Amino acid sequence: MKPADRTKTGIVFNIQKFSINDGPGIRTTVFLKGCPLHCRWCSNPESQAMAPQVLRDAKKCVGCHHCVEACPAHAVTLDANGALHFAPNSACAGCGRCVRECPAQALEVAGERKTVQQVLDVVLQDRPFYEESGGGLTLSGGEFLLQHEFSLELLKAAKEEGLHTCCETTAFAAPDVFDAMLPYLDTLYIDMKHADADRHKKFTGVDNALCLENLAHAIAAGKDVLVRIPIIPGFNDSTDDAERMAAKLHEIGAPRCQLLPFHQFGENKYALLGRTYAYRDVDALTKDALADTVALFRVHGIDAFV
């Protein structure tokens, strides 16, 4: 087997240590930028664009406009009303100069280009915790499959180091891309948003055909798969929605699923990006509110839990 290319680079927006909800045991979760889905309820909107982005806390900004002068790419501008605008993607190189030179510390960059080895150096710092708890490395996003070349080399390098590997994914990728990852993944957490293709596309921007095809393939291949379903008010929280999703999971042979109640943890990030949050005024759900949905899935032979 060809050794991993540890010089391969990707864009990472967070490396979270001591994660206990992103796979078995204690883990380090690496969050990659870029996602082909644009779910209206997304709690990590800074993960959607592939390129680095500048987040601005308007409450901290003192209006000195030093960031405009500091930006070498002229990607920070003022409109006629004196409001700041940070150009997306190509105009901003993500150099972070505006962040470093902001006197009020009102800015931060989401996304930094790193090599496989740079990421692995951080991950391996907690090897004793993985060995004690059965944990390891988890790739998340965004959608880690969008940066599939970098992700594959990182997974290969992790296996070379003897680490347990896991991913959190929508499984929205070409089948050959998805299949290339499977030999290097011990556990897969795969999202299911909805059983209906049209409704899935309306709320996420893509239909669910590839997601379901790859999910079914991973299960058929005997991989350790946990299906996770975010329950979103007004999208997939009706009894009919649950019936259809449970039936689909039974059809493709999924043995278990986790229901994730809608929350508002990412609301503030939309303001930092200058975006409007579609679910701003929607109440969060409690675990108790999903008791009937759990029972319905179990009737269909799916070991559901919250």
Side-chain angles (χ1 to χ4, degrees), residues 235-285:
F235 169 61
N236 65 357
D237 61 333
S238 72
T239 300
D240 181 63
D241 294 328
E243 286 278 1
R244 297 179 70 177
M245 289 189 289
K248 177 57 70 174
L249 290 183
H250 180 76
E251 175 188 327
I252 63 179
R256 58 185 180 141
C257 74
Q258 181 180 15
L259 306 182
L260 306 174
F262 169 74
H263 59 73
Q264 290 284 11
F265 298 154
E267 180 177 7
N268 185 55
K269 295 179 182 179
Y270 287 83
L272 298 178
L273 288 167
R275 292 174 53 186
T276 300
Y277 180 39
Y279 279 75
R280 181 179 56 189
D281 298 319
V282 179
D283 291 336
L285 296 176

mmCIF file of all heavy atoms in Angstrom, residues 235-285:
data_model
loop_
_atom_site.group_PDB
_atom_site.id
_atom_site.type_symbol
_atom_site.label_atom_id
_atom_site.label_comp_id
_atom_site.label_asym_id
_atom_site.label_seq_id
_atom_site.Cartn_x
_atom_site.Cartn_y
_atom_site.Cartn_z
ATOM 1 N N PHE A 235 -39.841 20.762 8.968
ATOM 2 C CA PHE A 235 -39.141 20.082 7.876
ATOM 3 C C PHE A 235 -39.364 18.580 7.915
ATOM 4 O O PHE A 235 -39.831 17.981 6.948
ATOM 5 C CB PHE A 235 -37.643 20.402 7.933
ATOM 6 C CG PHE A 235 -36.799 19.562 7.018
ATOM 7 C CD1 PHE A 235 -36.989 19.595 5.642
ATOM 8 C CD2 PHE A 235 -35.796 18.741 7.534
ATOM 9 C CE1 PHE A 235 -36.203 18.806 4.795
ATOM 10 C CE2 PHE A 235 -35.008 17.960 6.697
ATOM 11 C CZ PHE A 235 -35.214 17.986 5.329
ATOM 12 N N ASN A 236 -39.037 17.944 9.037
ATOM 13 C CA ASN A 236 -39.153 16.488 9.107
ATOM 14 C C ASN A 236 -39.669 16.015 10.459
ATOM 15 O O ASN A 236 -39.334 14.911 10.898
ATOM 16 C CB ASN A 236 -37.801 15.826 8.803
ATOM 17 C CG ASN A 236 -36.736 16.150 9.851
ATOM 18 O OD1 ASN A 236 -36.984 16.911 10.790
ATOM 19 N ND2 ASN A 236 -35.562 15.575 9.694
ATOM 20 N N ASP A 237 -40.480 16.838 11.122
ATOM 21 C CA ASP A 237 -40.911 16.511 12.486
ATOM 22 C C ASP A 237 -42.323 15.953 12.582
ATOM 23 O O ASP A 237 -42.827 15.721 13.683
ATOM 24 C CB ASP A 237 -40.792 17.738 13.390
ATOM 25 C CG ASP A 237 -41.674 18.899 12.930
ATOM 26 O OD1 ASP A 237 -41.965 18.987 11.710
ATOM 27 O OD2 ASP A 237 -42.067 19.718 13.776
ATOM 28 N N SER A 238 -42.976 15.703 11.436
ATOM 29 C CA SER A 238 -44.338 15.163 11.480
ATOM 30 C C SER A 238 -44.303 13.640 11.596
ATOM 31 O O SER A 238 -43.281 12.995 11.334
ATOM 32 C CB SER A 238 -45.105 15.550 10.209
ATOM 33 O OG SER A 238 -44.632 14.823 9.088
ATOM 34 N N THR A 239 -45.446 13.074 11.962
ATOM 35 C CA THR A 239 -45.543 11.611 12.046
ATOM 36 C C THR A 239 -45.315 10.973 10.686
ATOM 37 O O THR A 239 -44.648 9.934 10.581
ATOM 38 C CB THR A 239 -46.922 11.206 12.587
ATOM 39 O OG1 THR A 239 -47.097 11.765 13.895
ATOM 40 C CG2 THR A 239 -47.063 9.694 12.673
ATOM 41 N N ASP A 240 -45.838 11.605 9.642
ATOM 42 C CA ASP A 240 -45.649 11.080 8.287
ATOM 43 C C ASP A 240 -44.172 11.090 7.898
ATOM 44 O O ASP A 240 -43.673 10.121 7.295
ATOM 45 C CB ASP A 240 -46.454 11.905 7.285
ATOM 46 C CG ASP A 240 -46.302 11.389 5.861
ATOM 47 O OD1 ASP A 240 -46.710 10.243 5.600
ATOM 48 O OD2 ASP A 240 -45.766 12.130 5.013
ATOM 49 N N ASP A 241 -43.472 12.175 8.244
ATOM 50 C CA ASP A 241 -42.035 12.246 7.960
ATOM 51 C C ASP A 241 -41.300 11.099 8.649
ATOM 52 O O ASP A 241 -40.454 10.433 8.048
ATOM 53 C CB ASP A 241 -41.455 13.580 8.465
ATOM 54 C CG ASP A 241 -41.985 14.777 7.714
ATOM 55 O OD1 ASP A 241 -42.275 14.655 6.520
ATOM 56 O OD2 ASP A 241 -42.103 15.858 8.339
ATOM 57 N N ALA A 242 -41.628 10.881 9.912
ATOM 58 C CA ALA A 242 -40.965 9.818 10.679
ATOM 59 C C ALA A 242 -41.267 8.444 10.088
ATOM 60 O O ALA A 242 -40.376 7.590 9.991
ATOM 61 C CB ALA A 242 -41.402 9.881 12.138
ATOM 62 N N GLU A 243 -42.517 8.217 9.702
ATOM 63 C CA GLU A 243 -42.901 6.939 9.101
ATOM 64 C C GLU A 243 -42.076 6.656 7.844
ATOM 65 O O GLU A 243 -41.563 5.543 7.652
ATOM 66 C CB GLU A 243 -44.389 6.961 8.748
ATOM 67 C CG GLU A 243 -45.338 6.843 9.922
ATOM 68 C CD GLU A 243 -45.527 5.385 10.357
ATOM 69 O OE1 GLU A 243 -44.908 4.495 9.744
ATOM 70 O OE2 GLU A 243 -46.306 5.158 11.299
ATOM 71 N N ARG A 244 -41.949 7.660 7.006
ATOM 72 C CA ARG A 244 -41.241 7.479 5.742
ATOM 73 C C ARG A 244 -39.745 7.263 5.961
ATOM 74 O O ARG A 244 -39.114 6.444 5.290
ATOM 75 C CB ARG A 244 -41.484 8.680 4.825
ATOM 76 C CG ARG A 244 -42.946 8.851 4.441
ATOM 77 C CD ARG A 244 -43.182 10.050 3.567
ATOM 78 N NE ARG A 244 -42.621 9.875 2.240
ATOM 79 C CZ ARG A 244 -42.744 10.772 1.259
ATOM 80 N NH1 ARG A 244 -43.423 11.889 1.465
ATOM 81 N NH2 ARG A 244 -42.213 10.548 0.079
ATOM 82 N N MET A 245 -39.162 7.987 6.913
ATOM 83 C CA MET A 245 -37.733 7.796 7.187
ATOM 84 C C MET A 245 -37.471 6.436 7.819
ATOM 85 O O MET A 245 -36.501 5.754 7.465
ATOM 86 C CB MET A 245 -37.221 8.932 8.083
ATOM 87 C CG MET A 245 -37.124 10.277 7.373
ATOM 88 S SD MET A 245 -36.292 11.569 8.341
ATOM 89 C CE MET A 245 -37.516 11.893 9.621
ATOM 90 N N ALA A 246 -38.336 6.030 8.742
ATOM 91 C CA ALA A 246 -38.165 4.723 9.381
ATOM 92 C C ALA A 246 -38.305 3.603 8.359
ATOM 93 O O ALA A 246 -37.530 2.623 8.379
ATOM 94 C CB ALA A 246 -39.195 4.557 10.500
ATOM 95 N N ALA A 247 -39.277 3.734 7.462
ATOM 96 C CA ALA A 247 -39.466 2.718 6.425
ATOM 97 C C ALA A 247 -38.253 2.639 5.498
ATOM 98 O O ALA A 247 -37.828 1.547 5.093
ATOM 99 C CB ALA A 247 -40.731 3.021 5.623
ATOM 100 N N LYS A 248 -37.693 3.791 5.161
ATOM 101 C CA LYS A 248 -36.522 3.817 4.281
ATOM 102 C C LYS A 248 -35.320 3.175 4.978
ATOM 103 O O LYS A 248 -34.574 2.393 4.358
ATOM 104 C CB LYS A 248 -36.200 5.255 3.880
ATOM 105 C CG LYS A 248 -34.953 5.420 3.029
ATOM 106 C CD LYS A 248 -35.009 4.607 1.734
ATOM 107 C CE LYS A 248 -36.023 5.154 0.767
ATOM 108 N NZ LYS A 248 -35.950 4.443 -0.544
ATOM 109 N N LEU A 249 -35.108 3.468 6.242
ATOM 110 C CA LEU A 249 -33.996 2.863 6.966
ATOM 111 C C LEU A 249 -34.164 1.344 7.078
ATOM 112 O O LEU A 249 -33.195 0.594 6.949
ATOM 113 C CB LEU A 249 -33.863 3.475 8.362
ATOM 114 C CG LEU A 249 -33.367 4.920 8.420
ATOM 115 C CD1 LEU A 249 -33.213 5.364 9.870
ATOM 116 C CD2 LEU A 249 -32.048 5.095 7.682
ATOM 117 N N HIS A 250 -35.401 0.903 7.305
ATOM 118 C CA HIS A 250 -35.665 -0.535 7.359
ATOM 119 C C HIS A 250 -35.362 -1.183 6.010
ATOM 120 O O HIS A 250 -34.771 -2.278 5.949
ATOM 121 C CB HIS A 250 -37.121 -0.772 7.751
ATOM 122 C CG HIS A 250 -37.483 -2.222 7.837
ATOM 123 N ND1 HIS A 250 -37.113 -3.022 8.892
ATOM 124 C CD2 HIS A 250 -38.166 -3.032 6.970
ATOM 125 C CE1 HIS A 250 -37.554 -4.244 8.691
ATOM 126 N NE2 HIS A 250 -38.196 -4.280 7.532
ATOM 127 N N GLU A 251 -35.729 -0.491 4.941
ATOM 128 C CA GLU A 251 -35.518 -1.007 3.581
ATOM 129 C C GLU A 251 -34.039 -1.203 3.278
ATOM 130 O O GLU A 251 -33.652 -2.195 2.637
ATOM 131 C CB GLU A 251 -36.134 -0.032 2.567
ATOM 132 C CG GLU A 251 -35.891 -0.382 1.108
ATOM 133 C CD GLU A 251 -36.362 0.726 0.184
ATOM 134 O OE1 GLU A 251 -37.358 1.410 0.510
ATOM 135 O OE2 GLU A 251 -35.712 0.919 -0.872
ATOM 136 N N ILE A 252 -33.193 -0.280 3.715
ATOM 137 C CA ILE A 252 -31.775 -0.379 3.375
ATOM 138 C C ILE A 252 -30.966 -1.123 4.440
ATOM 139 O O ILE A 252 -29.752 -1.253 4.320
ATOM 140 C CB ILE A 252 -31.156 1.016 3.117
ATOM 141 C CG1 ILE A 252 -31.202 1.886 4.382
ATOM 142 C CG2 ILE A 252 -31.833 1.701 1.959
ATOM 143 C CD1 ILE A 252 -30.586 3.261 4.180
ATOM 144 N N GLY A 253 -31.655 -1.587 5.487
ATOM 145 C CA GLY A 253 -30.998 -2.442 6.467
ATOM 146 C C GLY A 253 -30.256 -1.731 7.579
ATOM 147 O O GLY A 253 -29.364 -2.320 8.201
ATOM 148 N N ALA A 254 -30.610 -0.473 7.851
ATOM 149 C CA ALA A 254 -29.960 0.248 8.946
ATOM 150 C C ALA A 254 -30.464 -0.301 10.280
ATOM 151 O O ALA A 254 -31.669 -0.296 10.534
ATOM 152 C CB ALA A 254 -30.262 1.743 8.851
ATOM 153 N N PRO A 255 -29.585 -0.752 11.158
ATOM 154 C CA PRO A 255 -30.039 -1.361 12.409
ATOM 155 C C PRO A 255 -30.382 -0.359 13.502
ATOM 156 O O PRO A 255 -31.133 -0.663 14.415
ATOM 157 C CB PRO A 255 -28.837 -2.209 12.831
ATOM 158 C CG PRO A 255 -27.655 -1.487 12.259
ATOM 159 C CD PRO A 255 -28.134 -0.881 10.969
ATOM 160 N N ARG A 256 -29.819 0.846 13.422
ATOM 161 C CA ARG A 256 -30.003 1.806 14.507
ATOM 162 C C ARG A 256 -29.938 3.228 13.981
ATOM 163 O O ARG A 256 -29.410 3.502 12.900
ATOM 164 C CB ARG A 256 -28.920 1.618 15.575
ATOM 165 C CG ARG A 256 -27.514 1.758 15.039
ATOM 166 C CD ARG A 256 -26.447 1.459 16.066
ATOM 167 N NE ARG A 256 -25.119 1.614 15.486
ATOM 168 C CZ ARG A 256 -24.074 2.137 16.118
ATOM 169 N NH1 ARG A 256 -24.210 2.557 17.364
ATOM 170 N NH2 ARG A 256 -22.904 2.239 15.530
ATOM 171 N N CYS A 257 -30.474 4.147 14.763
ATOM 172 C CA CYS A 257 -30.368 5.565 14.419
ATOM 173 C C CYS A 257 -30.458 6.405 15.679
ATOM 174 O O CYS A 257 -31.049 5.993 16.692
ATOM 175 C CB CYS A 257 -31.432 5.984 13.407
ATOM 176 S SG CYS A 257 -33.093 6.142 14.078
ATOM 177 N N GLN A 258 -29.869 7.564 15.607
ATOM 178 C CA GLN A 258 -29.936 8.535 16.703
ATOM 179 C C GLN A 258 -30.718 9.745 16.223
ATOM 180 O O GLN A 258 -30.431 10.294 15.151
ATOM 181 C CB GLN A 258 -28.533 8.956 17.141
ATOM 182 C CG GLN A 258 -28.535 9.955 18.305
ATOM 183 C CD GLN A 258 -27.129 10.358 18.722
ATOM 184 O OE1 GLN A 258 -26.156 10.132 18.013
ATOM 185 N NE2 GLN A 258 -27.017 10.975 19.890
ATOM 186 N N LEU A 259 -31.698 10.159 17.004
ATOM 187 C CA LEU A 259 -32.477 11.353 16.682
ATOM 188 C C LEU A 259 -31.872 12.535 17.422
ATOM 189 O O LEU A 259 -31.658 12.493 18.641
ATOM 190 C CB LEU A 259 -33.935 11.156 17.081
ATOM 191 C CG LEU A 259 -34.624 9.909 16.510
ATOM 192 C CD1 LEU A 259 -36.089 9.868 16.945
ATOM 193 C CD2 LEU A 259 -34.515 9.864 14.997
ATOM 194 N N LEU A 260 -31.600 13.603 16.685
ATOM 195 C CA LEU A 260 -30.956 14.783 17.253
ATOM 196 C C LEU A 260 -31.962 15.932 17.302
ATOM 197 O O LEU A 260 -32.378 16.440 16.257
ATOM 198 C CB LEU A 260 -29.756 15.190 16.393
ATOM 199 C CG LEU A 260 -28.712 14.102 16.123
ATOM 200 C CD1 LEU A 260 -27.670 14.609 15.139
ATOM 201 C CD2 LEU A 260 -28.050 13.668 17.424
ATOM 202 N N PRO A 261 -32.383 16.362 18.495
ATOM 203 C CA PRO A 261 -33.353 17.448 18.584
ATOM 204 C C PRO A 261 -32.780 18.775 18.104
ATOM 205 O O PRO A 261 -31.623 19.100 18.377
ATOM 206 C CB PRO A 261 -33.698 17.497 20.083
ATOM 207 C CG PRO A 261 -32.587 16.791 20.771
ATOM 208 C CD PRO A 261 -32.007 15.819 19.811
ATOM 209 N N PHE A 262 -33.578 19.520 17.368
ATOM 210 C CA PHE A 262 -33.167 20.833 16.864
ATOM 211 C C PHE A 262 -32.726 21.735 18.011
ATOM 212 O O PHE A 262 -33.332 21.773 19.073
ATOM 213 C CB PHE A 262 -34.344 21.484 16.123
ATOM 214 C CG PHE A 262 -34.129 22.938 15.787
ATOM 215 C CD1 PHE A 262 -33.257 23.296 14.773
ATOM 216 C CD2 PHE A 262 -34.796 23.934 16.487
ATOM 217 C CE1 PHE A 262 -33.051 24.639 14.468
ATOM 218 C CE2 PHE A 262 -34.599 25.273 16.182
ATOM 219 C CZ PHE A 262 -33.731 25.619 15.170
ATOM 220 N N HIS A 263 -31.606 22.457 17.775
ATOM 221 C CA HIS A 263 -31.101 23.385 18.786
ATOM 222 C C HIS A 263 -30.717 24.707 18.123
ATOM 223 O O HIS A 263 -30.722 24.835 16.897
ATOM 224 C CB HIS A 263 -29.892 22.785 19.504
ATOM 225 C CG HIS A 263 -28.741 22.451 18.585
ATOM 226 N ND1 HIS A 263 -27.938 23.408 18.008
ATOM 227 C CD2 HIS A 263 -28.273 21.262 18.139
ATOM 228 C CE1 HIS A 263 -27.028 22.836 17.250
ATOM 229 N NE2 HIS A 263 -27.208 21.526 17.309
ATOM 230 N N GLN A 264 -30.380 25.679 18.947
ATOM 231 C CA GLN A 264 -30.050 27.016 18.463
ATOM 232 C C GLN A 264 -28.590 27.384 18.735
ATOM 233 O O GLN A 264 -28.243 28.557 18.794
ATOM 234 C CB GLN A 264 -30.977 28.053 19.142
ATOM 235 C CG GLN A 264 -32.423 27.998 18.693
ATOM 236 C CD GLN A 264 -32.627 28.616 17.321
ATOM 237 O OE1 GLN A 264 -31.678 28.918 16.612
ATOM 238 N NE2 GLN A 264 -33.873 28.804 16.934
ATOM 239 N N PHE A 265 -27.719 26.376 18.882
ATOM 240 C CA PHE A 265 -26.338 26.650 19.275
ATOM 241 C C PHE A 265 -25.581 27.512 18.270
ATOM 242 O O PHE A 265 -24.642 28.216 18.640
ATOM 243 C CB PHE A 265 -25.576 25.337 19.490
ATOM 244 C CG PHE A 265 -26.132 24.479 20.589
ATOM 245 C CD1 PHE A 265 -25.952 23.106 20.574
ATOM 246 C CD2 PHE A 265 -26.839 25.039 21.639
ATOM 247 C CE1 PHE A 265 -26.455 22.303 21.592
ATOM 248 C CE2 PHE A 265 -27.357 24.256 22.660
ATOM 249 C CZ PHE A 265 -27.165 22.881 22.632
ATOM 250 N N GLY A 266 -25.940 27.437 16.994
ATOM 251 C CA GLY A 266 -25.170 28.163 15.978
ATOM 252 C C GLY A 266 -25.754 29.495 15.560
ATOM 253 O O GLY A 266 -25.238 30.133 14.632
ATOM 254 N N GLU A 267 -26.801 29.947 16.233
ATOM 255 C CA GLU A 267 -27.514 31.146 15.789
ATOM 256 C C GLU A 267 -26.595 32.362 15.678
ATOM 257 O O GLU A 267 -26.654 33.116 14.704
ATOM 258 C CB GLU A 267 -28.666 31.442 16.753
ATOM 259 C CG GLU A 267 -29.473 32.679 16.376
ATOM 260 C CD GLU A 267 -30.651 32.919 17.316
ATOM 261 O OE1 GLU A 267 -30.758 32.201 18.315
ATOM 262 O OE2 GLU A 267 -31.453 33.829 17.022
ATOM 263 N N ASN A 268 -25.739 32.569 16.663
ATOM 264 C CA ASN A 268 -24.912 33.770 16.676
ATOM 265 C C ASN A 268 -23.930 33.824 15.520
ATOM 266 O O ASN A 268 -23.513 34.909 15.084
ATOM 267 C CB ASN A 268 -24.144 33.853 17.996
ATOM 268 C CG ASN A 268 -23.358 35.143 18.125
ATOM 269 O OD1 ASN A 268 -23.903 36.228 18.000
ATOM 270 N ND2 ASN A 268 -22.061 35.034 18.351
ATOM 271 N N LYS A 269 -23.556 32.659 14.972
ATOM 272 C CA LYS A 269 -22.571 32.630 13.899
ATOM 273 C C LYS A 269 -23.090 33.307 12.626
ATOM 274 O O LYS A 269 -22.306 33.842 11.840
ATOM 275 C CB LYS A 269 -22.159 31.195 13.594
ATOM 276 C CG LYS A 269 -21.434 30.510 14.735
ATOM 277 C CD LYS A 269 -21.068 29.081 14.359
ATOM 278 C CE LYS A 269 -20.379 28.353 15.495
ATOM 279 N NZ LYS A 269 -20.036 26.953 15.128
ATOM 280 N N TYR A 270 -24.399 33.266 12.417
ATOM 281 C CA TYR A 270 -24.970 33.923 11.235
ATOM 282 C C TYR A 270 -24.751 35.430 11.304
ATOM 283 O O TYR A 270 -24.433 36.072 10.298
ATOM 284 C CB TYR A 270 -26.456 33.584 11.100
ATOM 285 C CG TYR A 270 -26.697 32.167 10.637
ATOM 286 C CD1 TYR A 270 -26.695 31.105 11.536
ATOM 287 C CD2 TYR A 270 -26.888 31.872 9.291
ATOM 288 C CE1 TYR A 270 -26.886 29.800 11.115
ATOM 289 C CE2 TYR A 270 -27.086 30.571 8.854
ATOM 290 C CZ TYR A 270 -27.084 29.540 9.773
ATOM 291 O OH TYR A 270 -27.261 28.245 9.353
ATOM 292 N N ALA A 271 -24.931 35.997 12.495
ATOM 293 C CA ALA A 271 -24.688 37.433 12.673
ATOM 294 C C ALA A 271 -23.216 37.765 12.431
ATOM 295 O O ALA A 271 -22.890 38.793 11.821
ATOM 296 C CB ALA A 271 -25.102 37.859 14.079
ATOM 297 N N LEU A 272 -22.318 36.900 12.883
ATOM 298 C CA LEU A 272 -20.884 37.130 12.683
ATOM 299 C C LEU A 272 -20.517 37.109 11.206
ATOM 300 O O LEU A 272 -19.557 37.758 10.783
ATOM 301 C CB LEU A 272 -20.069 36.071 13.432
ATOM 302 C CG LEU A 272 -20.214 36.033 14.955
ATOM 303 C CD1 LEU A 272 -19.377 34.895 15.541
ATOM 304 C CD2 LEU A 272 -19.821 37.362 15.582
ATOM 305 N N LEU A 273 -21.273 36.353 10.413
ATOM 306 C CA LEU A 273 -21.030 36.270 8.968
ATOM 307 C C LEU A 273 -21.846 37.286 8.178
ATOM 308 O O LEU A 273 -21.748 37.351 6.955
ATOM 309 C CB LEU A 273 -21.367 34.863 8.459
ATOM 310 C CG LEU A 273 -20.399 33.749 8.844
ATOM 311 C CD1 LEU A 273 -21.012 32.387 8.545
ATOM 312 C CD2 LEU A 273 -19.068 33.902 8.111
ATOM 313 N N GLY A 274 -22.683 38.067 8.882
ATOM 314 C CA GLY A 274 -23.542 39.029 8.203
ATOM 315 C C GLY A 274 -24.675 38.389 7.444
ATOM 316 O O GLY A 274 -25.159 38.920 6.448
ATOM 317 N N ARG A 275 -25.121 37.205 7.917
ATOM 318 C CA ARG A 275 -26.184 36.461 7.256
ATOM 319 C C ARG A 275 -27.429 36.394 8.134
ATOM 320 O O ARG A 275 -27.354 36.512 9.356
ATOM 321 C CB ARG A 275 -25.718 35.043 6.920
ATOM 322 C CG ARG A 275 -24.642 34.981 5.868
ATOM 323 C CD ARG A 275 -24.113 33.563 5.685
ATOM 324 N NE ARG A 275 -25.178 32.597 5.431
ATOM 325 C CZ ARG A 275 -24.988 31.279 5.343
ATOM 326 N NH1 ARG A 275 -23.769 30.785 5.498
ATOM 327 N NH2 ARG A 275 -25.993 30.470 5.113
ATOM 328 N N THR A 276 -28.563 36.186 7.484
ATOM 329 C CA THR A 276 -29.829 36.020 8.209
ATOM 330 C C THR A 276 -30.078 34.543 8.469
ATOM 331 O O THR A 276 -29.927 33.707 7.564
ATOM 332 C CB THR A 276 -31.004 36.587 7.385
ATOM 333 O OG1 THR A 276 -30.775 37.979 7.150
ATOM 334 C CG2 THR A 276 -32.322 36.422 8.146
ATOM 335 N N TYR A 277 -30.460 34.217 9.683
ATOM 336 C CA TYR A 277 -30.695 32.826 10.079
ATOM 337 C C TYR A 277 -32.172 32.491 9.893
ATOM 338 O O TYR A 277 -33.049 33.109 10.503
ATOM 339 C CB TYR A 277 -30.273 32.654 11.542
ATOM 340 C CG TYR A 277 -30.445 31.269 12.105
ATOM 341 C CD1 TYR A 277 -30.165 30.124 11.356
ATOM 342 C CD2 TYR A 277 -30.875 31.093 13.416
ATOM 343 C CE1 TYR A 277 -30.300 28.863 11.894
ATOM 344 C CE2 TYR A 277 -31.009 29.826 13.970
ATOM 345 C CZ TYR A 277 -30.722 28.724 13.202
ATOM 346 O OH TYR A 277 -30.872 27.464 13.738
ATOM 347 N N ALA A 278 -32.457 31.506 9.060
ATOM 348 C CA ALA A 278 -33.841 31.162 8.727
ATOM 349 C C ALA A 278 -34.625 30.629 9.920
ATOM 350 O O ALA A 278 -35.853 30.734 9.955
ATOM 351 C CB ALA A 278 -33.856 30.133 7.597
ATOM 352 N N TYR A 279 -33.930 30.062 10.914
ATOM 353 C CA TYR A 279 -34.617 29.453 12.065
ATOM 354 C C TYR A 279 -34.445 30.285 13.340
ATOM 355 O O TYR A 279 -34.561 29.766 14.441
ATOM 356 C CB TYR A 279 -34.092 28.032 12.290
ATOM 357 C CG TYR A 279 -34.726 27.013 11.365
ATOM 358 C CD1 TYR A 279 -34.368 26.937 10.031
ATOM 359 C CD2 TYR A 279 -35.708 26.148 11.825
ATOM 360 C CE1 TYR A 279 -34.962 26.024 9.178
ATOM 361 C CE2 TYR A 279 -36.307 25.223 10.984
ATOM 362 C CZ TYR A 279 -35.920 25.167 9.661
ATOM 363 O OH TYR A 279 -36.521 24.255 8.814
ATOM 364 N N ARG A 280 -34.252 31.562 13.167
ATOM 365 C CA ARG A 280 -33.973 32.454 14.300
ATOM 366 C C ARG A 280 -35.043 32.412 15.376
ATOM 367 O O ARG A 280 -34.757 32.428 16.561
ATOM 368 C CB ARG A 280 -33.801 33.894 13.790
ATOM 369 C CG ARG A 280 -33.486 34.918 14.874
ATOM 370 C CD ARG A 280 -33.304 36.281 14.263
ATOM 371 N NE ARG A 280 -34.464 36.672 13.479
ATOM 372 C CZ ARG A 280 -34.505 37.739 12.690
ATOM 373 N NH1 ARG A 280 -33.428 38.494 12.547
ATOM 374 N NH2 ARG A 280 -35.591 38.044 12.020
ATOM 375 N N ASP A 281 -36.298 32.372 14.981
ATOM 376 C CA ASP A 281 -37.400 32.451 15.948
ATOM 377 C C ASP A 281 -38.057 31.098 16.224
ATOM 378 O O ASP A 281 -39.174 31.029 16.748
ATOM 379 C CB ASP A 281 -38.464 33.437 15.450
ATOM 380 C CG ASP A 281 -37.918 34.853 15.300
ATOM 381 O OD1 ASP A 281 -37.140 35.267 16.191
ATOM 382 O OD2 ASP A 281 -38.238 35.520 14.308
ATOM 383 N N VAL A 282 -37.368 30.018 15.891
ATOM 384 C CA VAL A 282 -37.913 28.677 16.094
ATOM 385 C C VAL A 282 -37.394 28.114 17.420
ATOM 386 O O VAL A 282 -36.194 28.156 17.696
ATOM 387 C CB VAL A 282 -37.514 27.741 14.931
ATOM 388 C CG1 VAL A 282 -38.062 26.339 15.165
ATOM 389 C CG2 VAL A 282 -38.025 28.303 13.604
ATOM 390 N N ASP A 283 -38.296 27.596 18.230
ATOM 391 C CA ASP A 283 -37.910 27.057 19.535
ATOM 392 C C ASP A 283 -37.125 25.752 19.379
ATOM 393 O O ASP A 283 -37.418 24.922 18.513
ATOM 394 C CB ASP A 283 -39.152 26.789 20.392
ATOM 395 C CG ASP A 283 -39.853 28.065 20.821
ATOM 396 O OD1 ASP A 283 -39.183 29.120 20.870
ATOM 397 O OD2 ASP A 283 -41.073 28.014 21.093
ATOM 398 N N ALA A 284 -36.144 25.582 20.253
ATOM 399 C CA ALA A 284 -35.385 24.332 20.287
ATOM 400 C C ALA A 284 -36.275 23.198 20.782
ATOM 401 O O ALA A 284 -37.281 23.432 21.473
ATOM 402 C CB ALA A 284 -34.171 24.483 21.201
ATOM 403 N N LEU A 285 -35.913 21.980 20.419
ATOM 404 C CA LEU A 285 -36.652 20.803 20.866
ATOM 405 C C LEU A 285 -35.916 20.140 22.033
ATOM 406 O O LEU A 285 -34.692 20.202 22.116
ATOM 407 C CB LEU A 285 -36.791 19.791 19.729
ATOM 408 C CG LEU A 285 -37.604 20.231 18.507
ATOM 409 C CD1 LEU A 285 -37.558 19.141 17.431
ATOM 410 C CD2 LEU A 285 -39.038 20.535 18.886
#
